[in-house]
Amino acid sequence: MRVDPLAFLTTELDSLREQGLHRSLRILEGRQQASSRFDARTVVNLSSNNYLGLTTHPRLIEAAIQAIRDYGVGSGSVRTIAGTMEIHMELERRLAAFKNTEAVAVFQSGFAANAGTVSAILTKEDVIISDALNHASIIDGCRLSRAAIKVFPHKDVAAARTILKELPGSQRKLLITDGVFSMEGDLGPLPELCDLAEEFGCIMMVDDAHASGVFGRNGRGTIDHFNMHGRVDIQVGTLSKAIGALGGYVAGSKDFIDFLYHRARPFLFSTSHPPSVVASCLAALDVLEQEPEIIERLWANTRFFKAGLESMGFDTGLSESPITPVIAGDGVRAMKLSDRLFQEGVFAQGIAFPTVARDKARVRTIVTATHSQNELQFALDAFKRVGLELGLI
Ligand SMILES: *Cc1c(COP(=O)(O)O)cnc(C)c1O
């Protein structure tokens, strides 16, 4: 009998089960919206990144259907061979204008944009100075580049400066931060990091995945929010979160983008977006420009929900965005909190090590523009009952 060479994975899974950390995927029936059916239960949904409700916006849906009728369902090739359609170029031009940069390259996802960009521009001679809580796709891009990676404690600009002071002036350096940190909901210290980048001659890169559609004028992101235009060399955004569809993009100078067209591996070796996805993204930009009141609603809901959690005495960390963590302690406690909330009709995903530190396990909540006050109050009431039961408040 052949011995299963993957049996060690079963052992690992058994160990997760014993620790109470094994998760099965929750199944969404129907649309991703403020209240949705997951695992045959209708719940107030605080777990999506669908900040503005654009996954089901009529204009995005109609644009996709029309693009399928006009162009079919697939692009049939990678961007650098036969897979660049006029609609891909139109999206890049629109995004560049939106971001106030010379040019943009669109990737299949935010993950591909980060990993593909960092690995394309750096080599093993170079060094990356990276916030400890930067997103996994940045970390993977850093590893693929084979550059040296120096990590500074979360938002600790003084520590980043100490690292930079010890590096040879001639070495190429990339200073990189998330605009909004995905698990904490706090903002990267962009003004201070831009100063540092200029002082030490670093390439400055900001990943604005959770900021696109949320911060800045009409959702232009944290560079706009902090008025750092012209001081950030590389901006990454996603089309998969507030924009409601799928994709990632990199914004910067014309030559930088032209270089990515030649060297970014996801751009060269992975098929481009279906035209329908691109059409939905273009429609999303129309919505951001013409219906900015949805961003206002997102922020009004954010203020209401955060104030409710804080007044009950939950530990919500240092969030400054619609991402509000509710910190529970160890992983088992966080999963218990999430499971009990689900039974009470609220979906807030539990998040534990290795995504966050072992003693900072949490449920993460994200409100959207489309939640009603009633839905948010229902969720707050459930948090109160379960929080008291678990001794969190
Ligand atoms: C979600 C996220 C990404 C990845 O974006 P996708 O489009 O989902 O691949 C990259 N960076 C950060 C900070 C994110 O939160």
Side-chain angles (χ1 to χ4, degrees):
M1 253 252 297
R2 184 169 174 266
V3 177
D4 178 5
L6 291 176
F8 67 103
L9 300 179
T10 308
T11 313
E12 292 268 333
L13 286 171
D14 287 342
S15 144
L16 284 179
R17 278 187 199 96
E18 272 159 35
Q19 297 167 60
L21 297 176
H22 183 270
R23 310 300 289 169
S24 40
L25 304 174
R26 291 219 186 274
I27 309 300
L28 171 62
E29 296 162 40
R31 295 179 163 211
Q32 181 71 266
Q33 50 194 23
S35 287
S36 291
R37 261 179 95 72
F38 284 92
D39 292 347
R41 215 188 158 84
T42 301
V43 288
V44 174
N45 179 6
L46 298 176
S47 290
S48 84
N49 299 314
N50 185 23
Y51 289 101
L52 302 174
L54 296 190
T55 57
T56 54
H57 193 292
R59 289 173 77 171
L60 276 72
I61 292 173
E62 284 311 315
I65 292 170
Q66 190 57 48
I68 289 174
R69 295 203 189 288
D70 291 347
Y71 309 116
V73 297
S75 75
S77 175
V78 302
R79 287 290 300 276
T80 48
I81 300 181
T84 296
M85 296 171 147
E86 170 52 26
I87 197 169
H88 293 113
M89 299 311 294
E90 186 186 347
L91 179 59
E92 291 182 339
R93 286 192 298 271
R94 280 287 298 279
L95 284 168
F98 185 66
K99 287 295 204 173
N100 200 18
T101 60
E102 284 178 11
V104 155
V106 168
F107 287 76
Q108 299 84 354
S109 68
F111 197 108
N114 269 326
T117 298
V118 177
S119 59
I121 63 171
L122 295 185
T123 71
K124 64 180 180 353
E125 317 299 328
D126 306 325
V127 57
I128 298 162
I129 301 94
S130 174
D131 187 287
L133 297 188
N134 277 346
H135 191 259
S137 55
I138 292 179
I139 297 168
D140 284 12
C142 294
R143 288 178 181 158
L144 284 168
S145 75
R146 300 188 217 193
I149 304 167
K150 308 269 185 197
V151 174
F152 58 91
H154 183 47
K155 292 177 68 165
D156 190 338
V157 179
R161 157 178 274 281
T162 305
I163 293 169
L164 283 164
K165 268 167 74 176
E166 285 165 8
L167 293 171
S170 59
Q171 196 173 21
R172 187 166 296 133
K173 306 170 192 78
L174 174 73
L175 182 57
I176 184 163
T177 185
D178 281 6
V180 175
F181 288 89
S182 53
M183 295 299 147
E184 309 300 316
D186 55 352
L187 297 180
L190 263 51
E192 294 82 1
L193 289 176
C194 285
D195 287 347
L196 209 56
E198 281 155 23
E199 182 181 344
F200 289 92
C202 306
I203 305 162
M204 182 71 210
M205 176 165 171
V206 176
D207 175 4
D208 247 352
H210 278 284
S212 314
V214 176
F215 280 89
R217 289 167 304 142
N218 302 78
R220 284 176 167 79
T222 57
I223 286 91
D224 192 73
H225 171 79
F226 285 114
N227 198 14
M228 293 290 112
H229 292 286
R231 301 184 65 191
V232 175
D233 305 290
I234 305 176
Q235 302 183 38
V236 168
T238 182
L239 303 165
S240 325
K241 290 176 174 146
I243 303 303
L246 178 72
Y249 58 91
V250 184
S253 72
K254 205 163 153 292
D255 281 354
F256 163 58
I257 298 303
D258 196 21
F259 182 83
L260 292 181
Y261 281 3
H262 288 83
R263 285 289 180 275
R265 293 168 72 84
F267 198 90
L268 273 75
F269 295 107
S270 185
T271 298
S272 58
H273 273 125
S276 55
V277 173
V278 181
S280 292
C281 294
L282 284 164
L285 289 172
D286 291 339
V287 171
L288 290 182
E289 283 165 10
Q290 294 162 22
E291 304 174 29
E293 60 278 5
I294 58 174
I295 303 176
E296 283 307 311
R297 275 205 296 281
L298 169 66
W299 280 100
N301 282 345
T302 297
R303 285 189 290 272
F304 176 79
F305 192 66
K306 270 190 202 304
L309 286 174
E310 280 159 21
S311 73
M312 287 185 252
F314 281 105
D315 177 358
T316 58
L318 302 170
S319 168
E320 303 164 77
S321 72
I323 300 172
T324 308
V326 175
I327 297 165
D330 66 29
V332 176
R333 216 143 169 249
M335 295 310 159
K336 177 94 199 174
L337 174 59
S338 178
D339 289 343
R340 280 290 298 116
L341 284 168
F342 195 78
Q343 288 164 354
E344 299 285 323
V346 176
F347 181 18
Q349 183 66 53
I351 295 170
F353 182 82
T355 309
V356 296
R358 279 186 202 280
D359 61 340
K360 293 269 187 206
R362 64 198 57 195
V363 301
R364 183 180 65 163
T365 67
I366 299 183
V367 302
T368 72
T370 51
H371 283 93
S372 67
Q373 190 110 338
N374 275 345
E375 286 169 319
L376 295 179
Q377 190 58 54
F378 176 89
L380 288 170
D381 292 344
F383 263 99
K384 183 163 198 175
R385 283 193 299 281
V386 177
L388 287 169
E389 179 186 309
L390 299 182
L392 292 169
I393 52 174

